[in-house]
Amino acid sequence: MKDAPYIGRFAPTPSGFLHFGSLVAALASWLDARAVNGRWLLRIEDTDPPREMPGARDAILTSLERYGLEWDGEVVCQSQRHDAYAEVVERLFNMGLAYACTCSRKQLEGYGGIYPGHCRNRLHAREDAAIRLRVPELTYRFSDRVQGEFQQHLGREVGDFVIQRRDGLYAYQLAVVLDDAWQGVTDIVRGADLLDNTPRQLYLQELLGFSQPRYLHIPLIVQPDGHKLGKSYRSPPLDIQQATPLLLRALRALGQDTDPMLEGATPAEVLAVARQQWKPERIAQQMTVPEATLQ
Ligand code: GLU
Ligand code: ZN
């Protein structure tokens, strides 16, 4: 049987170095693509300059290269895509699907992060306002390759969400959906911290007439001390000297077999074997790494 066309991607935010948790996500996404001879794209999600860490972008690229996680084509940076985002915000606003919100942070306190709809029918001008997307009173559901069925009621559990901030910056939800569609991404493999963002992205895809990619959310790594390796965790860059042992450890975290013979191998050799043996169905829904993972 001919391999189906597969386009995967890794989309790090340059707010810090890659850490073990992001290595696991990058590796899973790379293997899932390469196991079927698919393409694997790299996109830098630099939509929020204040949260960026100087040097992070280059450090991420260097780590991926040194770990053998080669990407296809040019690196796309979201900071270069503002025109595309602006065009869609404009369209959604003009169609009445999105509206301007002038609520202060204080006015939104006490609603548990769910927008109470103050500005829904106010017809504020776009200037000096955030732009929110009106969500339908509907449940969005999808079947995740690891996490199984996931559903969320957009009205009750999320509320109208921001697609462009008051300071003009574009929201992750908007940028990610537009870019995945623009780049033809068929498969999204990423951390489970983004699982509950997915229904918002499904809604945007539906509104904009995009097809829905397949999803595989990798469980977050829980350290033996109970600490979750998430985005906010500032950690040192992945040690280049430790590429092989850390790749093997990441493979074990993903439930894959690792041959002890590979301990002396190069990262490229480890990846060549792992790609042949990739079994995504072995990924557990929860992942506790018994070994210390920070260097
Ligand atoms: N930029 C996001 C992050 O670093 C990932 C986005 C995605 O994979 O959808 O958490
Ligand atoms: Zn408002």
Side-chain angles (χ1 to χ4, degrees):
M1 202 177 81
K2 221 167 147 275
D3 287 335
Y6 179 117
I7 302 180
R9 55 35 162 210
F10 181 53
T13 302
S15 54
F17 298 119
L18 288 189
H19 53 65
F20 185 73
S22 39
L23 173 67
V24 171
L27 175 63
S29 163
W30 188 92
L31 287 170
D32 204 51
R34 299 309 192 199
V36 295
N37 294 318
R39 286 171 63 75
W40 193 65
L41 312 178
L42 179 60
R43 183 170 76 227
I44 301 292
E45 302 213 314
D46 51 352
T47 48
D48 193 351
R51 276 189 51 223
E52 266 173 49
M53 189 187 79
R57 178 186 180 281
D58 289 347
I60 290 171
L61 266 55
T62 306
S63 295
L64 291 172
E65 269 167 4
R66 302 300 272 276
Y67 275 66
L69 297 168
E70 284 174 8
W71 59 88
D72 294 308
E74 298 285 310
V75 178
V76 166
C77 289
Q78 292 190 323
S79 52
Q80 306 295 311
R81 296 263 305 142
H82 288 182
D83 291 352
Y85 307 151
E87 192 266 318
V88 171
V89 171
E90 176 85 18
R91 188 146 46 97
L92 294 172
F93 184 82
N94 290 341
M95 290 170 80
L97 294 165
Y99 60 89
C101 165
T102 55
C103 292
S104 63
R105 202 165 290 212
K106 189 136 190 61
Q107 279 173 289
L108 299 179
E109 268 170 22
Y111 295 96
I114 299 170
Y115 183 65
H118 295 324
C119 300
R120 251 194 164 202
N121 302 310
R122 294 268 172 83
L123 302 175
H124 293 305
R126 279 188 62 178
E127 288 66 43
D128 195 28
I131 307 296
R132 282 186 189 272
L133 192 68
R134 243 176 246 285
V135 297
E137 292 297 325
L138 289 175
T139 297
Y140 277 74
R141 40 174 70 85
F142 71 104
S143 180
D144 187 89
R145 290 169 57 202
V146 166
Q147 311 293 331
E149 298 303 312
F150 184 82
Q151 62 172 52
Q152 201 175 43
H153 189 280
L154 284 185
R156 282 199 300 272
E157 297 179 73
V158 179
D160 297 345
F161 60 92
V162 172
I163 52 173
Q164 186 174 17
R165 287 169 22 179
R166 197 172 190 150
D167 59 11
L169 296 179
Y170 296 98
Y172 156 68
Q173 310 294 351
L174 179 83
V176 79
V177 166
L178 292 183
D179 288 347
D180 284 332
W182 176 63
Q183 296 185 283
V185 170
T186 60
D187 286 81
I188 295 179
V189 177
R190 63 184 177 191
D193 52 333
L194 294 165
L195 190 60
D196 67 358
N197 286 242
T198 309
R200 268 170 274 183
Q201 298 172 14
L202 299 182
Y203 174 53
L204 265 169
Q205 287 158 6
E206 181 185 280
L207 266 188
L208 298 168
F210 300 151
S211 53
Q212 186 182 312
R214 282 179 293 260
Y215 289 97
L216 190 167
H217 286 86
I218 302 289
L220 286 194
I221 308 250
V222 183
Q223 294 273 55
D225 64 359
H227 189 112
K228 276 191 187 159
L229 278 182
K231 267 196 289 283
S232 55
Y233 191 69
R234 290 265 164 170
S235 49
L238 289 167
D239 188 345
I240 303 288
Q241 306 308 324
Q242 297 293 315
T244 292
L246 286 177
L247 280 172
L248 291 171
R249 201 175 275 180
L251 283 167
R252 287 194 288 273
L254 290 164
Q256 310 297 303
D257 291 332
T258 53
D259 188 331
M261 296 278 286
L262 288 172
E263 270 154 39
T266 63
E269 288 164 347
V270 172
L271 291 176
V273 174
R275 157 186 191 168
Q276 300 295 327
Q277 300 181 342
W278 176 235
K279 294 190 181 62
E281 63 281 6
R282 293 245 187 114
I283 302 170
Q285 276 186 18
Q286 293 229 355
M287 183 147 81
T288 307
V289 176
E291 321 160 77
T293 49
L294 296 174
Q295 326 100 53

